Amino acid sequence: MNPLCVFWFRRDLRLEDNHGLYLALKSGLTILPIFIFDERILRELPARDARVAFIRNRVKELPGVRVFTGEPVKVWANLFKNHNIKAVFCNEDYEPYAIERDRKVAALACAAGAAFHTIKDQVIFAKNEIVKDNGEPYRVFTPYSRAWLRKLNPQSLKPFKSGTAKPAPPINKVLIRNYEKQRNRMDLDATSHLGIHLRFGTVSIRKIAQAAKSLSPTFLKELIWRDFFMQTLFHFPHTVNEPFNPKYKNIRWRNNKSEFKKWCEGKTGYPIVDAGMRELNATGFMHNRARMITASFLTKHLLIDWRWGERDFAKKLLDFELASNVGNWQWVAGCGCDAAPYFRVFNPALQAKKFDPSGKYVKKWVPEAGTSQYPKPMVDHEFARRRALTEFHRALRTGPA
Ligand code: FAD
């Protein structure tokens, strides 16, 4: 049998500047490119999930890729049985489930006498590349980002010549230049919408970071947050389900189901909260500022567990990315790595005034706001704020150290 090198596409669905693919090509062996739809993940998604459709379309555009559906470990067992595989290359994934899956596939490869290589591609710095002097991972963003910037050099952003660019999303230079001034404005379409492309690797992080570096330090900082949350998840995998700060386990969430439903449906009676949720429900996208406002409302005003909100976003966001979703939810709830202080409770009306000054965002998504058709606020802001502060304060005083 012809000796093969398998390149396993996962969250790197592009030919251009693909580090793992570049190294696979350098192996000199015949390449078999593959993609596996993981049955376990598909089972949990609706039949017409837009993200799966996005992946299907992108995979179709990659030439010669063999597509499988099944449990990855079983698919691999068959591949090793039926082919003479000498090497496997794929790009690293830092999620706990993916790490475990890769460990099993690496064991199969080893048994079949094939080399298994996982390569850094989806972040600029991974794992232990940015750690404190004592070798521990950073828990606070600002020193992490300073260390990240110190370590950045032209080599870190150099593209790998792995193929030519298929229609990659355009990098809108004007948008990035204006990013700092406009990024919080919900009434302007002033953010990049690159989330889904970075999530599935249809654009290279090095390419985006290179543009950010020359055009906008603020935009670059957002990309550093992305790296930060990925390394946090890598070092602290329990944070997928547990608060980073254990004291927060003690919070007595109210978890009222009918209130949660109103929040999910965008019927809270707070126009800016409802606008965010309705944008998400209708498009699979929500502006970052609205994500912060809606998440704060759920965890503080309604005292509903951040994990409920995180799961709802995970179901709906086209750019859902476990590390960023969990990291940001915990950040807003106050229980995460380098979290916003728990006593920061967004005032929805003030947020709307500041970041939707023209009212265009609310008008677009909640046209009935201000009419008799629109529900009254489901909870009084000041009452809810005090209730949240009392509970957070109690939990932190009595929680485990
Ligand atoms: P831009 O503002 O144009 O930013 C460019 C890129 O930088 C983004 O695509 C993203 O990759 C990265 N980025 C920007 N802000 C952040 C951030 N705060 N944390 C990490 N990366 C960031 N982002 C996700 O990619 N997936 C998620 O599941 C996700 N869930 C979130 C949940 C909550 C509660 C909050 C408050 C934020 C969440 N974010 C998430 C971060 C952020 O809201 C989105 O990355 C951003 O809104 C995507 O739109 P954009 O591509 O236009 O972003």
Side-chain angles (χ1 to χ4, degrees):
M1 279 192 285
N2 188 17
L4 291 179
C5 168
V6 180
F7 180 71
W8 185 9
F9 282 103
R10 292 113 66 99
R11 38 194 300 173
D12 51 0
L13 304 178
R14 65 182 189 286
L15 296 182
E16 178 209 17
D17 187 16
N18 182 323
H19 193 179
L21 179 60
Y22 168 78
L23 293 177
L25 290 166
K26 274 185 59 167
S27 74
L29 293 163
T30 306
I31 306 282
L32 171 63
I34 69 160
F35 183 86
I36 305 173
F37 282 102
D38 186 335
E39 246 173 24
R40 209 194 95 161
I41 297 173
L42 289 187
R43 260 201 307 272
E44 287 167 15
L45 297 172
R48 287 164 168 253
D49 189 275
R51 293 159 299 190
V52 178
F54 180 88
I55 296 172
R56 270 190 215 291
N57 288 334
R58 296 308 301 217
V59 170
K60 262 191 230 150
E61 287 165 11
L62 298 168
V65 175
R66 292 255 320 259
V67 178
F68 300 87
T69 302
E71 217 181 283
V73 178
K74 287 192 186 146
V75 171
W76 274 105
N78 277 328
L79 281 167
F80 284 119
K81 203 161 78 191
N82 299 326
H83 298 274
N84 178 14
I85 298 172
K86 291 290 176 211
V88 177
F89 282 85
C90 53
N91 288 314
E92 279 173 357
D93 190 322
Y94 309 101
E95 295 184 6
Y97 171 72
I99 290 172
E100 182 55 16
R101 175 201 62 201
D102 289 355
R103 198 187 54 72
K104 290 181 187 156
V105 177
L108 286 178
C110 180
F116 186 80
H117 305 278
T118 56
I119 312 295
K120 179 183 76 170
D121 177 73
Q122 59 160 316
V123 286
I124 303 299
F125 297 117
K127 295 181 172 173
N128 290 319
E129 285 185 285
I130 308 281
V131 285
K132 294 193 257 183
D133 290 345
N134 63 6
E136 284 180 12
Y138 281 99
R139 290 152 190 259
V140 179
F141 177 73
T142 304
Y144 171 87
S145 69
R146 282 201 205 106
W148 192 103
L149 286 166
R150 271 197 306 274
K151 198 172 171 77
L152 189 73
N153 62 44
Q155 203 58 31
S156 334
L157 303 181
K158 200 168 160 227
F160 296 94
K161 291 190 174 131
S162 52
T164 40
K166 276 295 256 185
I171 297 173
N172 190 330
K173 291 191 177 162
V174 178
L175 183 143
I176 298 183
R177 266 200 207 98
N178 291 334
Y179 186 77
E180 175 166 12
K181 263 194 289 165
Q182 301 188 333
R183 75 198 168 107
N184 277 309
R185 288 281 299 273
M186 292 173 282
D187 53 344
L188 306 174
D189 189 14
T191 69
S192 71
H193 292 260
L194 280 170
I196 186 168
H197 297 288
L198 287 166
R199 167 64 182 86
F200 295 113
T202 45
V203 70
S204 145
I205 182 65
R206 288 171 290 281
K207 187 173 176 179
I208 303 301
Q210 183 68 62
K213 188 170 162 279
S214 57
L215 296 168
S216 164
T218 307
F219 193 80
L220 186 62
K221 195 167 138 201
E222 297 306 326
L223 301 178
I224 305 176
W225 271 107
R226 178 177 172 275
D227 267 21
F228 177 67
F229 284 134
M230 290 223 199
Q231 72 86 30
T232 304
L233 184 61
F234 174 74
H235 287 290
F236 307 101
H238 69 281
T239 55
V240 170
N241 292 310
E242 295 294 334
F244 183 85
N245 180 341
K247 286 187 177 171
Y248 284 79
K249 283 189 190 168
N250 218 30
I251 290 178
R252 291 185 300 215
W253 301 108
R254 292 175 56 256
N255 288 353
N256 180 307
K257 284 190 181 143
S258 74
E259 290 185 2
F260 181 61
K261 188 165 179 280
K262 284 187 185 164
W263 177 84
C264 289
E265 291 174 352
K267 293 180 180 164
T268 66
Y270 280 90
I272 198 70
V273 174
D274 294 343
M277 294 309 294
R278 292 187 197 184
E279 180 186 24
L280 175 63
N281 294 338
T283 67
F285 180 80
M286 193 197 300
H287 190 283
N288 177 59
R289 175 60 47 180
R291 294 187 204 200
M292 292 199 279
I293 296 169
T294 52
S296 171
F297 189 84
L298 186 80
T299 52
K300 306 283 173 66
H301 284 72
L302 303 182
L303 269 175
I304 290 180
D305 195 326
W306 63 270
R307 284 168 285 210
W308 289 31
E310 195 274 329
R311 287 292 89 203
D312 184 66
F313 273 25
K315 270 192 240 147
K316 298 171 181 170
L317 278 175
L318 292 176
D319 64 25
F320 164 62
E321 200 281 314
L322 187 66
S324 290
N325 205 37
V326 163
N328 277 290
W329 267 96
Q330 292 212 26
W331 185 87
V332 176
C335 59
C337 211
D338 193 10
Y342 74 86
F343 45 82
R344 182 168 161 199
V345 179
F346 280 167
N347 178 331
L350 291 182
Q351 289 287 313
K353 204 167 151 193
K354 203 161 164 197
F355 301 117
D356 181 24
S358 66
K360 203 168 141 192
Y361 186 67
V362 162
K363 259 188 226 110
K364 175 167 183 189
W365 296 109
V366 194
E368 80 278 23
T371 72
S372 59
Q373 310 297 309
Y374 188 61
K376 295 258 176 307
M378 63 190 285
V379 64
D380 173 67
H381 167 68
E382 203 38 51
F383 164 80
R385 195 181 76 85
R386 267 187 268 115
R387 181 174 65 184
L389 292 183
T390 307
E391 178 51 22
F392 273 70
H393 193 58
R394 186 205 62 76
L396 293 184
R397 260 201 340 246
T398 56

